[in-house]
Amino acid sequence: MSPDISFPLPSILINAEEIVNACEMAEMSPPPPPPVGGGEAGPRFVEVAELAALLHLGDYVHARHLWRRHRPTRGINPADGATEESTDPELRQLAFLWTAARSVISDDPSAAYAALDRCMSSGMEPLATYAGEVRRSYRERCVRRMGKVYHRMRVESCRAWFGFAEGDDSTMIKSLDGKRWSQETTDGGKLLLVPPPLGWELEESEDEGMDSNGIAVDGDNYDERIKSLTDIVSFMERKRLNF
């Protein structure tokens, strides 16, 4: 384990991949010795940090495996104070975060944001901090995906995908402005939000193959666009959303 990483972590945003490696090492290592002067070592929340870092990185396969390794044998309802995990603060926080992770992994943004908001308002640390960080990275991932698939989106659709409340449209639009999104008004006066041209981040790159429009057509970016489109179509079919 890196000597610079000690638990519990104040954040999972600084070198998340190194955090995941350190957490995996901690899982396989014996518990740390008791503190000098006696007493027991406090909770380290290793698995909570590892799950949050995996969600931040979008590594959902390993997130599932982590939960399967550490979930309790009995059923979990994080809102029920009488369940098995209530006696273990680390397991309780892991269960709360997993509730949000399931919705993130299944690509249900409304449920994901709601569950992450519950984690943030739980008053439990470091869960609340990690959930806020995961919420921001999940939103960024959704913004990138929608921008790769749609030429324009209705405001209400953006609210659902990007986790904004109905009264927060001005905040959402300002946030998207910073990512080079623009606005367009239909003849009927309806506001649409327009992503930046696909491939604008690669305008100065010479490392990717480009089509006649200057858009990368090979490598990981192309594969990611195809996967994003497949995931979004699947989500729309499940939810019967009309964008």
Side-chain angles (χ1 to χ4, degrees), residues 71-150:
R71 63 185 176 186
T73 55
R74 292 189 291 180
I76 279 187
N77 177 2
D80 184 352
T83 50
E84 176 181 348
E85 79 279 4
S86 64
T87 60
D88 184 337
E90 297 190 64
L91 181 56
R92 182 167 176 77
Q93 293 197 26
L94 183 65
F96 261 85
L97 187 56
W98 174 250
T99 301
R102 285 186 305 184
S103 298
V104 170
I105 293 170
S106 64
D107 219 8
D108 186 344
S110 296
Y113 290 121
L116 289 168
D117 288 343
R118 286 193 293 271
C119 292
M120 293 167 61
S121 62
S122 68
M124 294 186 288
E125 289 292 350
L127 172 67
T129 296
Y130 297 167
E133 294 171 338
V134 170
R135 194 187 197 283
R136 290 191 294 274
S137 60
Y138 178 61
R139 172 185 287 166
E140 291 294 320
R141 188 171 291 113
C142 287
V143 169
R144 289 196 300 270
R145 288 175 56 197
M146 295 302 104
K148 291 175 180 176
V149 174
Y150 292 100

Side-chain angles (χ1 to χ4, degrees), residues 27-41:
E27 281 190 83
M28 297 183 292
S29 303
V36 177
E40 296 183 355

Side-chain angles (χ1 to χ4, degrees), residues 12 16-17 19-21 23-24 27 47-67 69 97-98 101 104-105 134 137 141:
I12 51 92
E17 292 182 354
I19 287 173
V20 170
N21 292 335
C23 289
E24 290 175 346
E27 281 190 83
E47 289 78 21
V48 180
E50 185 174 358
L51 179 57
L54 289 169
L55 293 175
H56 170 68
L57 293 170
D59 191 344
Y60 300 150
V61 172
H62 285 92
R64 288 193 193 96
H65 292 327
L66 173 66
W67 174 247
R69 291 197 301 272
L97 187 56
W98 174 250
V104 170
I105 293 170
V134 170
S137 60
R141 188 171 291 113

Side-chain angles (χ1 to χ4, degrees), residues 50 101 106 175 192 234:
E50 185 174 358
S106 64
S175 173
L192 300 176
S234 175

